[in-house]
Amino acid sequence: MKIAVDIDGVLADQVGAVLKVIEREYGLKYSKSDIDRAHWSFGGIEIWTEIGKLLSDPEYVLQVPLIEGSQNAIKRLFRHDVFVVTARRPNSEVATKQWLSAHFPSLKQYHSASTGSKHNIPSDVLIDDLDMNIVEFVKSDPNRHGILFQHPWSLNGMDIESYSNQVSYCPDWQSVVLAVEAFDRARQ
Ligand SMILES: [Mg+2]
């Protein structure tokens, strides 16, 4: 089974990393629970603008921490064809691939796709932390399954409820692995 995995918010704790920078650079302290939508902003600056700037710095990219449980879970999915699909821009690709080979040596295929277009990459499953990616993915094919990796910013008013038979909601990697295996059994 082909499984596409998002990087930011799924493998990499991007929001945790940027909140540290925001505290250091701007003296503003936020926690993940404050980030209640994808287009969250602080003092007029959108979080994704800030992350985009930071990702152009290889040193920043290489130190972004892992989402808890991600390494072990990717190992447990070894029977499947698991690969990365990210909306990160080309200017961070070299450092991102270095980060991936350091932490996830089994993930060798790398696909770029902007937010909302990840469904164009052939896959049976998409694991992603944003509802817009999951909705477009399951909408494109009734045989596909989307796994929403739940964070406070994951739901952005998409009609994800309309596709509930094709979607699993998972708050951590342990439940992601269970959802993948359940979908794999169901389709056999
Ligand atoms: Mg993401």
Side-chain angles (χ1 to χ4, degrees):
M1 190 162 72
K2 279 173 160 310
I3 304 175
V5 182
D6 176 30
I7 297 180
D8 292 316
V10 176
L11 298 175
D13 185 9
Q14 185 62 257
V15 169
V18 75
L19 289 181
K20 278 193 190 140
V21 175
I22 290 171
E23 184 175 359
R24 198 169 65 227
E25 307 277 312
Y26 300 89
L28 299 167
K29 194 169 167 60
Y30 298 103
S31 67
K32 282 188 194 172
S33 57
D34 294 320
I35 321 304
D36 57 1
R37 57 193 177 278
H39 291 284
W40 182 83
S41 54
F42 64 100
I45 304 170
E46 204 179 294
I47 191 168
W48 287 106
T49 310
E50 192 66 19
I51 290 171
K53 263 198 295 186
L54 290 167
L55 283 174
S56 67
D57 173 8
E59 262 182 60
Y60 172 84
V61 173
L62 292 173
Q63 58 80 51
V64 174
L66 299 166
I67 291 283
E68 198 188 332
S70 53
Q71 279 178 312
N72 186 38
I74 294 297
K75 283 183 197 150
R76 285 174 63 193
L77 297 175
F78 72 97
R79 290 189 303 109
H80 302 287
D81 179 12
V82 185
F83 55 90
V84 153
V85 179
T86 181
R88 285 189 183 184
R89 289 198 294 248
N91 64 356
S92 65
E93 191 171 321
V94 171
T96 300
K97 284 180 174 168
Q98 269 180 280
W99 183 91
L100 284 168
S101 67
H103 300 295
F104 301 97
S106 66
L107 299 181
K108 301 204 192 301
Q109 274 186 69
Y110 183 100
H111 296 276
S112 295
S114 56
T115 300
S117 75
K118 292 182 176 179
H119 58 284
N120 294 325
I121 308 297
S123 187
D124 303 300
V125 174
L126 172 66
I127 306 169
D128 200 282
D129 62 331
L130 292 178
D131 57 354
M132 42 275 220
N133 290 322
I134 296 297
V135 167
E136 293 303 324
F137 184 76
V138 296
K139 226 166 118 166
S140 66
D141 184 338
N143 297 315
R144 284 177 147 181
H145 195 77
I147 296 180
L148 185 70
F149 200 106
Q150 286 178 294
H151 288 290
W153 55 85
S154 293
L155 294 176
N156 293 276
M158 304 292 296
D159 58 343
I160 194 164
E161 302 80 19
S162 312
Y163 305 93
S164 49
N165 58 335
Q166 280 179 268
V167 176
S168 301
Y169 297 84
C170 297
D172 52 39
W173 266 106
Q174 200 170 349
S175 57
V176 169
V177 173
L178 293 176
V180 166
E181 300 304 354
F183 176 63
D184 190 31
R185 280 193 303 274
R187 69 200 285 271
Q188 279 165 13

